[in-house]
Amino acid sequence: MTAMFRSLSGRNYRIWFAGALVSNVGTWMQRTAQDWIVLTQLSDNDAVAVGVTMALQFGPQLLLLPVTGLVADRFDRRKMLMLTQGLMGALGLGLGVMVLTHTATLLSLYGFALALGIVAAFDTPIRQTFVSDVVQGEHVSNAVALNSASFNAARLIGPAVAGVLIAAIGSGWVFVINAASFLAVLLALRFVDPAQLADRPRAKRGKGQIVAGFRYVRTRPDIIVVLCMIFVVGTFGVNFPIFTSTMARIEFHRGAGEFGLLNSVMAIGSVLGALLSARRDRPRMRTLVIASAGFGIACTAAAFAPTYWSFAVVLMFVGLASLTFMTTANALVQTTTAPAMRGRVMALYMAIFAGGTPIGAPIVGAIADAAGPRWAIGVGAASGFVALAIAVVWLVRFERLRLLYDADSRLHLAVTHAVPIVSPRAARAALRQDLSRDEAVANRSSGV
């Protein structure tokens, strides 16, 4: 148990963790209220409208990628977080006022989602990499997992509270409460001791710094395969607002309370997945492979769930598999990236993960409208199996994974020969050295 929460031994991380937890609860309350009013108040049960809202909210992470990662690597992350978190709180308050005064329209909510997406595009890579400033060394992987546990514990609490509040006092007050929750994270950042934050190399000023991040990733095939997997699942699999809202409303004919409950039930599995990840000493590719397979199987079961309650039970396993997958991928990229490049690499990671939503969410929403919610979840299941296939191809090609017979003639998987991961430039340099060495040996043998 102590190993699971080892990152909390540091004062700065305890303060940051507590503030982020309160803010995350408010964020999930807002997400639930936003999806619900788009589906039931601002449109006529239109799943495409929910998908468009998600696309506008996550699209800027892809479009602003060249800038956001460099900001995370160059500027003071603590001060930048205070700015971005304050802006998101102000946007939540503005939307709350619009809903309470009955001036909100579908177009105005689209505008809010876009503005929030622009601010979040800067906030996300800064917040992701701020963990490595607060926690150093071997505890980084544990802190990443605990952050996921905090986020999903909030997903357990937030939607349930939002469902009750929507029915009791209306969606507008949910947005106002979310705006107030940002005060917690701003206070936490105020009391974090800057002297105890890790010293880190800052990105240099001048041309080429943005491109340098892409060049670095290009030399890391292990990171590229993780990014490919996270793109597929993030684009077509992690469309949970569409899955849960359409299943609750259209398939099972339930209301806001039951919709919020589905999100909370799925979060139970997500919290468990994050805590199990926190127990591991380091992230491994095999965990990512197992999680992608588990996600595909769990989504398949959810698509065939016959009743509301059986669907809710299966969602726990969807949450467990998806959170294990996302936490492991995040930790793999963060812990293996050079500190000076971490902001730019994590911006690329988040852009690929969330930036696929503008592509996938409208498609999945259209499938839900045309063929039904169960087919939409089937697309999510397929994304898990495609991610699994990508990982298997990587393991076979680069790690030489093979099916072998042991001494007892039993079939098993084994890595026959691991190919070292090197950049193309390093490979060419090594080849030139080998040729020069062979030429020198030949000259000595011939007496030259």
Side-chain angles (χ1 to χ4, degrees):
M1 185 64 70
T2 302
M4 185 183 294
F5 299 101
R6 58 188 179 273
S7 299
L8 292 173
S9 60
R11 174 185 174 275
N12 273 353
Y13 186 69
R14 286 197 302 272
I15 294 172
W16 165 249
F17 183 88
L21 177 60
V22 174
S23 179
N24 285 336
V25 170
T27 297
W28 275 109
M29 290 172 61
Q30 174 167 297
R31 287 188 181 183
T32 303
Q34 174 183 293
D35 295 335
W36 190 251
I37 66 170
V38 168
L39 187 68
T40 63
Q41 297 180 26
L42 302 180
S43 72
D44 185 18
N45 294 329
D46 188 356
V48 174
V50 179
V52 171
T53 303
M54 293 174 63
L56 291 170
Q57 195 161 325
F58 293 108
Q61 294 202 31
L62 182 62
L63 298 176
L64 297 174
L65 168 64
V67 180
T68 56
L70 186 59
V71 169
D73 279 337
R74 178 173 294 173
F75 296 101
D76 186 314
R77 290 171 183 161
R78 175 173 164 269
K79 293 180 179 178
M80 291 301 299
L81 276 175
M82 295 181 78
L83 174 62
T84 56
Q85 293 286 306
L87 288 173
M88 287 194 288
L91 285 169
L93 180 61
L95 181 60
V97 171
M98 289 172 57
V99 174
L100 288 172
T101 56
H102 304 289
T103 57
T105 64
L106 186 59
L107 287 178
S108 65
L109 196 136
Y110 284 166
F112 160 81
L114 179 60
L116 186 63
I118 292 172
V119 178
F122 288 91
D123 178 82
T124 301
I126 298 171
R127 183 162 36 84
Q128 292 282 331
T129 52
F130 185 64
V131 175
S132 61
D133 292 347
V134 179
V135 180
Q136 293 89 48
E138 60 185 10
H139 293 335
V140 172
S141 177
N142 176 256
V144 170
L146 288 183
N147 277 358
S148 295
S150 167
F151 186 73
N152 286 280
R155 189 166 72 178
L156 176 65
I157 301 168
V161 174
V164 173
L165 292 179
I166 290 170
I169 58 177
S171 302
W173 288 108
V174 175
F175 297 124
V176 173
I177 293 171
N178 169 62
S181 73
F182 280 96
L183 294 175
V185 74
L186 290 173
L187 284 173
L189 289 166
R190 169 64 180 80
F191 287 105
V192 163
D193 185 1
Q196 295 182 18
L197 297 178
D199 292 329
R200 62 180 177 86
R202 302 284 183 92
K204 299 178 181 179
R205 295 182 179 273
K207 297 180 179 179
Q209 293 304 309
I210 293 175
V211 178
F214 290 96
R215 288 176 176 168
Y216 176 82
V217 171
R218 191 179 64 183
T219 66
R220 294 287 306 276
D222 54 332
I223 291 180
I224 291 174
V225 71
V226 175
L227 294 180
C228 290
M229 294 173 70
I230 207 73
F231 171 77
V232 173
V233 174
T235 301
F236 299 104
V238 188
N239 290 294
F240 301 137
I242 296 175
F243 298 158
T244 55
S245 63
T246 55
M247 286 293 283
R249 183 75 172 183
I250 299 171
E251 194 70 21
F252 300 122
H253 310 290
R254 302 298 179 111
E258 290 86 352
F259 166 58
L261 181 62
L262 287 179
N263 288 279
S264 296
V265 167
M266 187 167 65
I268 295 174
S270 299
V271 172
L272 180 59
L275 292 177
L276 289 175
S277 297
R279 287 181 61 87
R280 301 185 186 98
D281 56 346
R282 61 187 179 87
R284 293 179 173 87
M285 176 58 77
R286 69 184 181 191
T287 307
L288 198 64
V289 171
I290 294 171
S292 58
F295 181 74
I297 294 170
C299 284
T300 301
F304 285 99
T307 66
Y308 172 85
W309 292 109
S310 62
F311 179 71
V313 171
V314 174
L315 279 183
M316 286 193 289
F317 295 95
V318 174
L320 172 63
S322 64
L323 218 290
T324 302
F325 178 85
M326 290 184 283
T327 301
T328 304
N330 188 307
L332 272 172
V333 173
Q334 282 220 54
T335 57
T336 61
T337 298
M341 291 289 178
R342 192 167 287 147
R344 279 162 284 185
V345 173
M346 286 309 297
L348 179 60
Y349 172 92
M350 294 307 301
I352 288 174
F353 176 56
T357 300
I359 303 170
I363 293 174
V364 172
I367 292 172
D369 279 344
R374 296 183 185 277
W375 284 100
I377 300 176
V379 173
S383 72
F385 294 129
V386 171
L388 173 64
I390 292 171
V392 170
V393 169
W394 152 260
L395 290 170
V396 170
R397 181 177 178 184
F398 290 94
E399 299 294 329
R400 294 297 189 267
L401 184 70
R402 296 291 186 269
L403 283 170
L404 299 176
Y405 285 96
D406 60 17
D408 298 325
S409 297
R410 291 179 299 187
L411 199 63
H412 68 284
L413 289 170
V415 176
T416 58
H417 176 66
V419 179
I421 300 171
V422 296
S423 68
R425 181 179 298 176
R428 289 193 296 270
L431 179 61
R432 286 195 295 268
Q433 290 177 358
D434 290 341
L435 291 174
S436 298
R437 189 184 305 112
D438 292 343
E439 184 178 355
V441 170
N443 288 340
R444 285 197 300 270
S445 299
S446 61
V448 177

